[in-house]
Amino acid sequence: MGSSQSALNFGAGPAKLPREVLEEVQKELLSFGESGMSLMEMSHRSKEYSKINNDAQKAVRELLHVPDNYKILFIQGGGTGAFAAVAMNLINRTGSADYAVTGTWSGKAAKEAAKYGKVNLVFPKADKPGSIPAESTWTLNPDAAYLYYCDNETVDGVEFPYIPNANGIPIVSDMSSSIMTKRVDITKFGCIIAGAQKNIGPAGVTVVIIREDLLGNPMKICPSVFDFTHINKENSVHNTPATFSVYVMEKVLQWIKKNGGVEAMEAQSSQKKTLLYDAILHSNNFYSCPIDEDVRSRINVPFRVGGPQGNEDLETKFLQEAEKLKMFQLKGHRSVGGMRASLYNAVTSDDVNLLVKFMNEFRKQYG
Ligand code: PMP
């Protein structure tokens, strides 16, 4: 698999896609099937696209064992669009919602939702993300329309090791960076949102999984392109969808199926995570991860080089040396600095082994 041209891509998103999928897309690019047309050139009402749309929904359902009383929708507007859509579709019931802010993206989601209703932060915002306060200390509002949390904070590297208990209130989770990397009990959720551009496809499509009984109550101001009830009625072709993105996503989902499903992705994720965190742990503090051990992300691993505060000169050197070995997109998010390695489904254990080998050599030379 792969040619000598392929880079080792540890980017946070848009992120590495399976090479096989890209090769298949390349093969079909000029003529989808016998059509003589690219899928990009076909109507979203064509039988070809209808099949892709239905197959993609079916694959999400199969891979995540989504029960029949949940609907699977594809929307545009990215994860950020979904922050607004969640509030506009779900907050109406009581006018307020609970948010557990554990990092950048849940913070942005809470801010967006506050435009549409009352937002209660279930614990005070930490000055520095990197931990999740014990659930027993959360202040839940019994009248909240839903409890929102981000399963995996892509920027900060904080992942929930459990699904919170919301005392029967619907739970909404942003799984943009963790979808299809682990099994989840869908019945615990009211709604799941996930931008595709990390684990399941290119940018341009966001997957929404929503419990049927939560449909039917959008705010009047909700634009139809964000109205889950309307989108569900129209089977996600209410207007022109991001057809090419859905097409590639469908192929990635089939690739996951072929490679053992979410169960296999979870096992591989655990292996990759162990490799990288062990290298950090056994580096005599040359590498360090600022996140509390029990909530460290399996997917996005932030770390500093040259001591716990990081040494910026060494970090620049680290990135330069890594690029010479074709290891790309290791720079941490601009808001937190340092490094970040993202270990999405298409990133293999071999890729991580090469990164760890490089890290060990770099430490020997500069540590
Ligand atoms: N949620 C999470 C967890 C993310 O990582 C991101 C972006 N990477 C977003 C939401 C926002 O997605 P978008 O850029 O598609 O709006």
Side-chain angles (χ1 to χ4, degrees):
M1 195 182 92
S3 77
S4 59
Q5 303 301 308
S6 94
L8 290 156
N9 183 353
F10 295 101
K16 184 174 176 187
L17 288 168
R19 188 82 180 170
E20 286 157 62
V21 168
L22 292 178
E23 283 167 359
E24 219 179 292
V25 170
Q26 184 184 41
K27 225 183 278 164
E28 292 179 353
L29 197 65
L30 298 183
S31 177
F32 182 75
E34 301 297 307
S35 69
M37 281 186 270
S38 176
L39 190 273
M40 269 186 280
E41 302 169 307
M42 283 184 187
S43 164
H44 55 295
R45 311 269 173 211
S46 64
K47 65 178 190 322
E48 287 87 350
Y49 183 73
S50 292
K51 181 169 179 342
I52 290 167
N53 180 33
N54 290 330
D55 286 353
Q57 290 176 38
K58 199 166 145 233
V60 171
R61 194 173 287 285
E62 275 177 35
L63 283 164
L64 288 174
H65 310 290
V66 179
D68 288 346
N69 63 324
Y70 285 76
K71 301 297 178 188
I72 295 162
L73 319 175
F74 303 140
I75 66 170
Q76 296 187 63
T80 306
F83 295 164
V86 160
M88 285 192 283
N89 281 280
L90 300 178
I91 212 164
N92 229 1
R93 196 168 54 82
T94 68
S96 73
D98 280 355
Y99 276 72
V101 173
T102 55
T104 307
W105 293 112
S106 46
K108 287 185 192 268
K111 211 167 153 196
E112 193 68 29
K115 295 177 186 169
Y116 306 105
K118 196 172 159 300
V119 163
N120 165 48
L121 300 185
V122 301
F123 46 79
K125 201 166 165 233
D127 291 340
K128 188 189 87 53
S131 59
I132 301 177
E135 239 188 314
S136 57
T137 66
W138 297 15
T139 316
L140 297 178
N141 170 8
D143 287 329
Y146 58 89
L147 166 67
Y148 180 104
Y149 77 100
C150 178
D151 185 54
N152 182 69
E153 284 285 2
T154 319
V155 169
D156 312 279
V158 172
E159 182 177 10
F160 265 86
Y162 58 87
I163 299 168
N165 178 2
N167 302 323
I169 285 168
I171 296 177
V172 178
S173 184
D174 176 1
M175 296 198 181
S176 292
S177 45
S178 55
I179 194 156
M180 305 279 171
T181 67
K182 62 181 173 189
R183 288 162 296 170
V184 279
D185 180 355
I186 300 290
T187 64
K188 294 262 183 0
F189 295 92
C191 178
I192 292 170
I193 54 168
Q197 66 267 28
K198 296 153 199 306
N199 280 298
I200 52 174
V205 53
T206 303
V207 175
V208 176
I209 302 172
I210 183 157
R211 214 174 64 205
E212 211 166 25
D213 61 288
L214 296 174
L215 294 171
N217 200 14
M219 293 175 80
K220 272 210 179 74
I221 56 156
C222 182
S224 58
V225 291
F226 280 160
D227 179 341
F228 295 163
T229 310
H230 175 65
I231 295 166
N232 176 51
K233 233 182 261 157
E234 300 291 326
N235 195 28
S236 296
V237 278
H238 48 291
N239 71 328
T240 315
T243 51
F244 191 72
S245 297
V246 175
Y247 154 76
V248 180
M249 178 174 75
E250 197 270 332
K251 288 193 184 298
V252 176
L253 296 170
Q254 300 305 340
W255 174 88
I256 295 174
K257 266 210 286 195
K258 207 174 83 187
N259 284 281
V262 169
E263 291 74 9
M265 298 298 128
E266 182 173 7
Q268 208 198 31
S269 165
S270 156
Q271 205 181 26
K272 292 183 293 190
K273 162 212 148 168
T274 304
L275 284 170
L276 185 49
Y277 282 109
D278 275 0
I280 295 169
L281 190 69
H282 300 129
S283 72
N284 229 343
N285 279 332
F286 182 72
Y287 299 113
S288 64
C289 172
I291 311 302
D292 285 358
E293 248 175 73
D294 56 333
V295 298
R296 284 184 181 172
S297 168
R298 298 163 304 123
I299 315 292
N300 308 98
V301 182
F303 62 94
R304 301 301 305 234
V305 183
Q309 306 310 319
N311 172 327
E312 286 188 15
D313 292 339
L314 271 184
E315 289 181 335
T316 305
K317 187 98 193 134
F318 182 92
L319 290 171
Q320 285 166 349
E321 298 283 317
E323 291 205 0
K324 281 188 203 155
L325 298 170
K326 301 184 92 187
M327 294 183 191
F328 296 108
Q329 310 208 79
L330 280 162
K331 195 170 165 51
H333 192 271
R334 61 189 186 280
S335 64
V336 297
M339 306 295 126
R340 172 178 48 173
S342 295
L343 312 180
Y344 298 125
N345 284 342
V347 174
T348 64
S349 296
D350 284 351
D351 294 350
V352 182
N353 269 317
L354 287 169
L355 173 62
V356 164
K357 184 165 172 268
F358 162 67
M359 286 170 70
N360 289 337
E361 281 163 9
F362 189 85
R363 176 168 63 89
K364 270 187 215 131
Q365 195 171 349
Y366 298 100

